[in-house]
Amino acid sequence: MEDVLEVYQRPHDPARPVVCLDEASKQLVAETRVPIVAKPGQVARQDYEYERNGTANLFMMFAPLEGWRHVEVTDRHTAMDYAQILKALSDSHFSNAEKIVLVQDNLNTHKPASLYEAFPPAEARRLVERFEWHYTPKHGSWLDMAESELSVLSRQCLDRRIADKQTLTDEVAAWEACRNKKHAKADWHFTADDARVKLKRLYPAM
């Protein structure tokens, strides 16, 4: 926990951007009947029945000090998908960075080993070296600011029925463009000193 909090206290350094990574799933749901639109004096109405169209996975990449985020919609969340996300983060989104300071949770695929599953050893090693790896503790994923940004996405964009992956991709892209245009950043205040007081129960008793 204190390792991640120390990362968040670092001054902004464009050569070593802090990027938080998290993922979530979204159930795809189609209407079985055409909804009735709102009219004066009448709210919109939606039938309680729906059709399940599977799920899609959302990879959230969030650079809190840059006010930048990107969401990649995928069919799955395997080690191979994760590896491709890191490659894009390294070679497309932050290609000019000396090193990317990566904060993420302890999901079993969120490991350097996933890069070796996806790429030849030399390429995997190159990508591993592009990142400075930091992990939130077990049951401490709230420390990952990408999780907070996923919560914003859920409230502002995903709190309705979305029928298919293409619609989901388009809707998320529009939300992302709006947030990036505003350079919406995270205002993080919780420090290690705060943790030692407010989360004293988590520390060994001396």
Side-chain angles (χ1 to χ4, degrees):
M1 176 179 64
E2 291 198 2
D3 175 64
V4 173
L5 293 175
E6 182 276 326
V7 168
Y8 290 164
Q9 291 298 303
R10 297 179 188 178
H12 181 220
D13 183 358
R16 301 177 69 91
V18 174
V19 180
C20 302
L21 175 68
D22 199 10
E23 56 185 281
S25 61
K26 169 64 178 176
Q27 184 174 3
L28 302 175
V29 174
E31 301 286 358
T32 56
R33 298 181 182 178
V34 178
I36 300 174
V37 298
K39 297 179 181 179
Q42 178 180 292
V43 298
R45 286 180 286 182
Q46 185 180 50
D47 195 88
Y48 69 92
E49 291 186 358
Y50 57 86
E51 179 183 349
R52 297 174 184 263
N53 279 345
T55 60
N57 191 66
L58 303 166
F59 281 98
M60 169 67 75
M61 294 160 272
F62 178 44
L65 299 180
E66 273 73 18
W68 173 92
R69 75 277 297 133
H70 176 63
V71 183
E72 193 70 30
V73 181
T74 62
D75 293 318
R76 304 170 300 167
H77 55 96
T78 65
M80 301 291 284
D81 297 297
Y82 169 76
Q84 293 296 336
I85 292 298
L86 289 194
K87 182 175 175 63
L89 190 59
S90 167
D91 298 349
S92 297
H93 303 304
F94 290 93
S95 58
N96 294 326
E98 293 177 7
K99 183 159 290 205
I100 300 165
V101 181
L102 182 66
V103 177
Q104 56 188 342
D105 63 21
N106 272 294
L107 195 65
N108 62 343
T109 56
H110 292 179
K111 307 293 182 184
S114 294
L115 294 167
Y116 284 88
E117 292 185 33
F119 305 111
E123 174 67 358
R125 192 63 204 167
R126 179 188 74 84
L127 289 170
V128 168
E129 292 296 322
R130 289 281 290 136
F131 295 95
E132 180 185 318
W133 303 76
H134 297 271
Y135 293 95
T136 62
K138 187 176 181 181
H139 306 305
S141 62
W142 57 271
L143 287 162
D144 186 348
M145 282 194 265
E147 182 175 285
S148 298
E149 194 67 10
L150 277 171
S151 178
V152 176
L153 172 64
S154 180
R155 294 194 309 271
Q156 295 182 349
C157 182
L158 305 181
D159 59 343
R160 61 191 187 281
R161 294 177 180 177
I162 297 179
D164 54 73
K165 180 184 174 184
Q166 187 57 55
T167 302
L168 176 63
T169 301
D170 294 342
E171 293 289 321
V172 167
W175 173 87
E176 174 188 310
C178 181
R179 291 279 286 175
N180 284 340
K181 185 177 181 180
K182 295 177 182 178
H183 298 287
K185 300 180 180 180
D187 190 15
W188 186 273
H189 293 285
F190 194 70
T191 66
D193 288 338
D194 296 324
R196 292 165 190 166
V197 175
K198 297 179 180 180
L199 301 178
K200 183 179 179 180
R201 68 187 186 282
L202 301 179
Y203 288 78
M206 302 298 292

